[in-house]
Amino acid sequence: MGAESQVETMPMASSSRAVSCHGLHRSKEDMNIKLSAAAGLKKGNKMGAESQVGAVPMASSGPSLRRRQEEVEIMRAAVTGTQQNITTVEMEPGGVPMDSASHQSVVSSGPGLRRSKQDAKIKFAALVGIQHGKADTETQKGTGTTNSISLCRVGSVINSPGLRRIDEDVQIKRAAVAGLGISKSDAEMKRPVAVGWPHDTGPAASHNDYTTDSHKWSPNQQELEANQVSNDSFDNMPGSLNLQRENQEQNDDIFGSNIILATTPTMVSSAAMMPQTGMPSASNMGLVEAREVLDNENIILGEADAYDGPMEEEKQQMRDQKKRRYMDTILCLVVVPVLIVLILWWAGVFDKAKQDTIVVATEAPSYAPSGSPTAAPTPFFLPLPDYTVETLQNGPLDSPQERAYKWIQDDPNFEDYSDERKQQRFALATFYFATNGDLGSWTLQDDWISYDVHECEWFSKWINKGPETAPVCDEQENLLSLLLTKNQLSGSLVPELAMLSHLIVLDVATNEIAGTLPTELGLSTKLTDLSVDFNAITGPLPSEIGLMESLELLLVHTNALTGTIPTTFGLLTVLNHFQAGRGQLSGTIPSEIGLMTSLHSLTLHKNILWGTIPIELWNLTNLWEILQLHENELTGTLPTEVAKLTDLEDFRLHTTLMTGTLPSELGAMTKLTYMDLCCGSFEGSIPSEIGLLTALYNLYLEGNNLSGSLPSALGLAKELVLLDVQSNKLSGTLPTEISLLRQLKRLRLYINSFSGPLPSELGLMANLTKFDVESNAFNERLPTELGQMSSLELLWLGDNPITSTLPTEIDLLHKTLKDFSVQSAKMFGFLPTEIGLLTSLTKLDLSKTNLVGPLRSELGKLDSLEHLDIQVTFFQGIIPSELESLNDTLSDLFLENTLLTGTVPLGLCSVPQLYFVCSSDLCGCDCTCQFMAQGSVDSSTNGRPLGVEGNAKEP
């Protein structure tokens, strides 16, 4: 059957079966064009090569169409050259056929010329190689099928995407030329043509047993050899084929032809490295062998069917549609889920907006003041911390944060503020609303939350730091201090105070603030002073305060704080003052407190702390101002390490459960001015080393179990102003060295077992104001030198077995003595008349003594007297009428169990607390005296009348 018949009967499905790998689309299009090219060659086979090449019409100037036309021209030139027995075609380095005489390009240089040049060499190889299967072609004549080389095999050999595409084109072009009906005998060449890279010699699309002249391929062998070639030669093959002129002499010797079809430089290099002595044949290399075309061969070309496929514009539309489908898929997979999430989020926001809840937005539009206080504010961008956002979204509808947010959104100057000023104004507004400033409870609130006044000018005190005071704000308008002490603040503190990032002083002491301390205060790393004392704050001490690395002053005392002292406070290494007394803190004192090495003062008194004092606390050698641990449930003993606190001035450890003896090392605390160890269970003697405390002003040792004598070395502590050793078990005589304490004002020795006489040297203590020796065993006469204690205001000598009269020198104390008591003493004798000279007396207690004689009328001169007690004495006679002058000042008058007779002066009946026994001897006031004669006499009453009617006041 002729070539024409073969072309006409070749179905398109056959071409589809021949092309089974990727690139099928493009290969089909190339197939159609090549068939058209072949058909055109048949009709013009009597024309010369040049005329046929030149006959290619250039109908369009589009890039794709020009490329196709250039490929047709090259195909026509290739086939024509074969029919005219062109055995030697010289090529340019780019692969374009050259005229042998002039070496000029045969094909025009259009836009697709580079690719066309590459295709040209492939088409030459296809032309000479396709004739190898003449026998197979002849057997298929009449069936409408042709041999086609498997494209998949070629794709597996060539790794580069560009080579794979070109190789697919080669297979199509081979099939196109084979469709022309050129027989194997016509295609044989005089010399074999060397192909620079092995083509696929695997099974054809129509059968799996295709066999070359010297080798039969099986699928497995094909795969193994393809992999071998790929691994050894083509790993780095670039994506285009270049027709190159290689060592012309070597090629002529080996192949005997001027036609060299080369591949990439890598492949050419591989070919050049082959041994020169044993070059394998084409069949051994798995290549299709070619033969020389004879001049007298008559080649009948088939006539190609007219191409009625889609035009280039339609194909471009198809590609555009595919691209749009791809983009639609991307939109569905990416954009749609994002939109769904945004819709769900906005649904939640809208739901909150319906409840007038504020939402923080991400943009900052302009605002106009809102006229409705209940409407949800317009969202705007404001940098807010997470805790504020949480409150705005989920907190109460009228929270201070929400009110502050609404206020700042209406600020007409909002857009002019920096983000830092926005936060500053918002934080201050939140604080203002949280402490009820808007309710008018503040004492002073000048210009607060005013749109027209800078927040640095809102009312606040100045920082008192040394000789100069610091302003409220710095030069950059950052708030430095917020001082609102004694300003009637109430409500609670808010975490937004931490937004004041430059704040160094926060002092809201002595107000009525309740609630808890915000944990967010730990973020205020520049804060140096935090004073919230004298408020009603509850809850625990936040452990986050330990993160305030700049904190120097922490005053939280006199609140209702609970919980334990956080161990994180050990991180406050620059803290100077920690005062947390008068609260409800519990637990033990943490040992980490010993890490606070910069402490100057530490007060933890009046809490519920228990356990022993950690030994680390005594390592706070910089502690010099005050250490107050009193009124807790502390146990243990006072260690000798207390001597380390050599600079401490104020040491208070009273009212605890501590036991043991007082260490003599207390004498090393030479800078002590105040030491209070009272009301515990300390025992033993008072260390004489206390006399070394020459700076000591106040010494409280009362309420313990101390015994022994009062050390005379105390006379060395010449700065002592107060010495209190009452309620102990001290004994012995009062040392005369006590008189060396010339600065002493208070000497309390009562409820002990001191004995002997009172030393006359007491008269040298001119500054002594209170001398209390009650409930001891002093048994000697009173020294007259007592009248020389010119500053004495209180003299209590009661409950001592003193056997003496009152010295007349007592009148020397007339200017100062206010409280004089000798109750329960063994005093005897007459009351001296000089008693009337003590005009400063407010209290005179002569009860339970052995004083006798008349009640002195001079008592009426004590116009400041408020309390007079003469009960259980031996005073006798009538009550002097001069005492009526005391009715304006006297509040207590005790007259019972005396020998007084007569009628109580009428002026004394108005005394609020008047006590006497209504009897036949003494009556008056509510005690009717008219029945005295009618009363019966009972011998058991020693002749005193009974049955007296009246309402006499009784004690």
Side-chain angles (χ1 to χ4, degrees), residues 245-561:
R245 183 179 302 272
E246 294 288 325
N247 199 337
Q248 185 66 39
E249 296 178 358
Q250 179 179 347
N251 290 337
D252 291 339
D253 294 339
I254 297 175
F255 301 107
S257 174
N258 290 330
I259 299 177
I260 304 297
L261 294 179
T263 62
T264 64
T266 302
M267 293 305 301
V268 172
S269 176
S270 299
M273 292 175 62
M274 290 181 180
Q276 300 296 323
T277 56
M279 186 69 180
S281 64
S283 61
N284 291 334
M285 296 176 60
L287 303 174
V288 178
E289 294 183 355
R291 67 176 180 82
E292 181 182 8
V293 180
L294 301 178
D295 294 337
N296 56 358
E297 288 183 351
N298 185 21
I299 300 176
I300 301 176
L301 298 177
E303 196 172 315
D305 293 333
Y307 175 74
D308 57 354
M311 298 301 292
E312 184 65 25
E313 294 181 359
E314 295 178 356
K315 288 188 290 182
Q316 183 63 34
Q317 292 177 359
M318 293 174 64
R319 285 193 293 269
D320 293 341
Q321 291 176 359
K322 182 177 180 180
K323 184 176 181 180
R324 284 194 296 270
R325 286 195 299 270
Y326 177 79
M327 295 303 298
D328 292 341
T329 303
I330 296 298
L331 289 175
C332 292
L333 295 178
V334 177
V335 178
V336 173
V338 173
L339 290 176
I340 293 174
V341 171
L342 291 176
I343 291 172
L344 293 176
W345 176 80
W346 181 250
V349 171
F350 181 75
D351 184 66
K352 294 297 291 181
K354 291 192 297 183
Q355 302 177 17
D356 293 337
T357 303
I358 303 169
V359 179
V360 179
T362 58
E363 296 181 358
S366 58
Y367 299 95
S370 174
S372 175
T374 59
T378 305
F380 61 92
F381 181 82
L382 176 64
L384 294 175
D386 292 341
Y387 51 82
T388 302
V389 174
E390 175 66 21
T391 303
L392 291 174
Q393 292 179 344
N394 303 316
L397 298 180
D398 59 344
S399 66
Q401 291 82 358
E402 181 181 1
R403 283 183 283 171
Y405 195 98
K406 291 179 179 178
W407 171 81
I408 199 171
Q409 77 163 3
D410 294 336
D411 192 338
N413 304 314
F414 177 81
E415 296 297 337
D416 298 332
Y417 302 145
S418 64
D419 286 348
E420 195 164 19
R421 277 204 62 194
K422 292 175 184 177
Q423 291 179 319
Q424 185 168 275
R425 290 177 69 86
F426 173 79
L428 288 173
T430 304
F431 169 78
Y432 178 78
F433 290 118
T435 53
N436 298 324
D438 58 324
L439 301 180
S441 64
W442 286 20
T443 303
L444 294 173
Q445 53 181 336
D446 298 350
D447 298 320
W448 270 80
I449 65 171
S450 172
Y451 289 140
D452 299 327
V453 179
H454 196 289
E455 62 272 17
C456 290
E457 298 179 7
W458 297 353
F459 170 75
S460 179
K461 300 179 181 179
W462 285 42
I463 306 173
N464 186 8
K465 289 280 188 180
E468 298 181 358
T469 57
V472 174
C473 292
D474 59 16
E475 295 179 355
Q476 288 74 36
E477 301 181 341
N478 298 313
L479 191 71
L480 299 180
S481 66
L482 184 59
L483 280 73
L484 295 170
T485 59
K486 298 181 180 180
N487 202 45
Q488 295 297 314
L489 274 64
S490 57
S492 61
L493 300 178
V494 288
E496 282 71 20
L497 287 170
M499 297 174 63
L500 303 173
S501 57
H502 296 274
L503 195 66
I504 61 175
V505 174
L506 174 59
D507 190 347
V508 291
T510 317
N511 283 290
E512 301 173 3
I513 298 174
T516 60
L517 289 175
T519 59
E520 289 79 7
L521 286 176
L523 302 174
S524 302
T525 55
K526 293 185 179 180
L527 199 67
T528 62
D529 296 7
L530 175 59
S531 302
V532 295
D533 46 313
F534 292 103
N535 278 286
I537 299 174
T538 59
L541 281 170
S543 60
E544 289 80 0
I545 290 180
L547 303 176
M548 302 170 70
E549 55 188 19
S550 302
L551 198 62
E552 299 177 2
L553 177 71
L554 177 59
L555 305 182
V556 295
H557 65 87
T558 319
N559 280 286
L561 296 171

Side-chain angles (χ1 to χ4, degrees), residues 758-867:
L758 291 173
S760 60
E761 288 81 2
L762 290 174
L764 301 175
M765 304 176 72
N767 290 316
L768 195 64
T769 59
K770 295 181 179 181
F771 181 42
D772 184 358
V773 294
E774 281 188 345
S775 302
N776 276 282
F778 294 110
N779 52 14
E780 301 287 340
R781 60 178 292 275
L782 292 176
T784 59
E785 289 80 4
L786 291 178
Q788 299 176 9
M789 303 168 69
S790 57
S791 299
L792 200 62
E793 298 177 0
L794 182 146
L795 178 59
W796 287 4
L797 303 174
D799 202 12
N800 278 283
I802 298 174
T803 57
S804 173
T805 60
L806 285 175
T808 58
E809 291 80 4
I810 196 72
D811 66 332
L812 299 176
L813 304 178
H814 66 279
K815 293 182 179 180
T816 59
L817 192 61
K818 298 178 180 180
D819 191 342
F820 179 40
S821 174
V822 292
Q823 60 92 18
S824 300
K826 300 294 183 181
M827 304 293 294
F828 64 89
F830 291 93
L831 185 66
T833 57
E834 290 81 2
I835 196 71
L837 300 176
L838 301 176
T839 55
S840 297
L841 274 179
T842 60
K843 181 180 179 180
L844 177 60
D845 190 350
L846 305 174
S847 66
K848 299 178 183 180
T849 65
N850 294 325
L851 293 173
V852 296
L855 195 63
R856 301 294 185 180
S857 62
E858 287 81 3
L859 292 173
K861 298 178 180 180
L862 305 178
D863 53 6
S864 297
L865 195 63
E866 299 175 0
H867 178 89

Side-chain angles (χ1 to χ4, degrees), residues 12 16 23-33 172:
M12 290 301 294
S16 299
L24 180 59
H25 251 347
R26 180 66 179 269
S27 300
K28 285 183 176 182
E29 298 167 5
D30 293 341
M31 179 67 175
N32 293 329
I33 295 175
I172 301 300

